Amino acid sequence: MPTVPSFSHRDPSRAEFWDERFANAFMPWDAAGVPNALRDFVAGEGVPRATLIPGCGSAYEAAWLDAQGWPVRAIDFSATAVASAKARLGRQAALVEQADFFTYAPPFALEVIYERAFLCALPRTLWQDYARRMAQLLPQGGRLAGLFFLRETHKGPPFGIAPDALDALLRDDFVCEADRLVDDSVPVFAGAEHWMIWRRR
């Protein structure tokens, strides 16, 4: 694990918490690339799907999805994260916006929301809001697909979640269609990161 700098912000529900971590390049959750599970998912689709990436951080996947011809928007409420992502994406910088997931209105009708270390970045007090907003944003048949950290933790972030708790959080509005352990996680998620697909009822 990297050495933890001294931080003044302790509330992960506030943008300043994440600004400080991106500014100090303290991002142990950042895989610096596109996970194999997402590559497999895209290859299996055959056609582009309009996709939102909330809590996008460095937005590697946004650039990659765009290169595959997928309509995509990536959002983060940390100005520092967004600035970093825009600088890294260069000519694709417009894919990234500074926005609050809980109030954001995408520029197109969504087919997929891609989850990557977003739920586990949120304090547990916001998990019900997360589930509610996912259900609002996705139409019937739309999918919440991505990587979920299925290990209960006492503190965070990352705030891991037990499998039965995730099921309880999402099952009113979603049906789980895929669940498999992945083998290319960063160390902080190793052995507990699952590729999951939840279809909107």
Side-chain angles (χ1 to χ4, degrees):
M1 287 288 289
T3 302
V4 180
S6 177
F7 294 122
S8 58
H9 295 283
R10 297 292 178 182
D11 181 358
S13 71
R14 297 184 59 83
E16 294 89 347
F17 176 97
W18 300 101
D19 286 339
E20 198 172 17
R21 280 145 185 82
F22 275 90
N24 283 275
F26 180 74
M27 299 173 292
W29 60 85
D30 189 329
V34 179
N36 292 330
L38 178 61
R39 294 178 186 273
D40 293 343
F41 174 72
V42 168
E45 287 298 291
V47 297
R49 307 289 186 191
T51 300
L52 174 67
I53 306 176
C56 67
S58 299
Y60 304 100
E61 294 97 332
W64 183 79
L65 286 170
D66 179 64
Q68 311 311 305
W70 282 41
V72 60
R73 284 294 183 280
I75 61 171
D76 205 296
F77 75 162
S78 163
T80 307
V82 169
S84 174
K86 282 181 173 291
R88 203 186 62 77
L89 266 59
R91 63 179 181 79
Q92 295 168 297
L95 300 174
V96 184
E97 299 178 51
Q98 184 179 358
D100 181 346
F101 168 73
F102 298 104
T103 58
Y104 179 68
F108 42 65
L110 296 178
E111 297 173 88
V112 173
I113 298 179
Y114 173 62
E115 162 65 45
R116 182 83 190 275
F118 180 52
L119 176 62
C120 68
L122 297 173
R124 294 180 178 90
T125 53
L126 292 176
W127 285 0
Q128 289 292 340
D129 293 337
Y130 166 100
R132 188 178 305 113
R133 189 63 182 146
M134 288 293 180
Q136 289 170 348
L137 286 168
L138 285 167
Q140 184 176 13
R143 287 167 295 170
L144 168 59
L147 295 153
F148 291 82
F149 182 38
L150 300 187
R151 177 188 292 145
E152 197 163 19
T153 59
H154 295 296
K155 60 180 182 176
F159 298 99
I161 188 169
D164 58 345
L166 180 62
D167 183 67
L169 187 68
L170 296 176
R171 66 186 173 207
D172 285 352
D173 294 302
F174 294 89
V175 176
C176 185
E177 293 189 334
D179 177 1
R180 65 177 178 84
L181 186 67
V182 301
D183 60 7
D184 60 345
S185 302
V186 295
V188 72
F189 299 132
E193 197 171 36
H194 287 235
W195 172 262
M196 305 185 81
I197 299 173
W198 295 83
R199 185 178 294 274
R200 181 72 167 91
R201 294 182 187 273

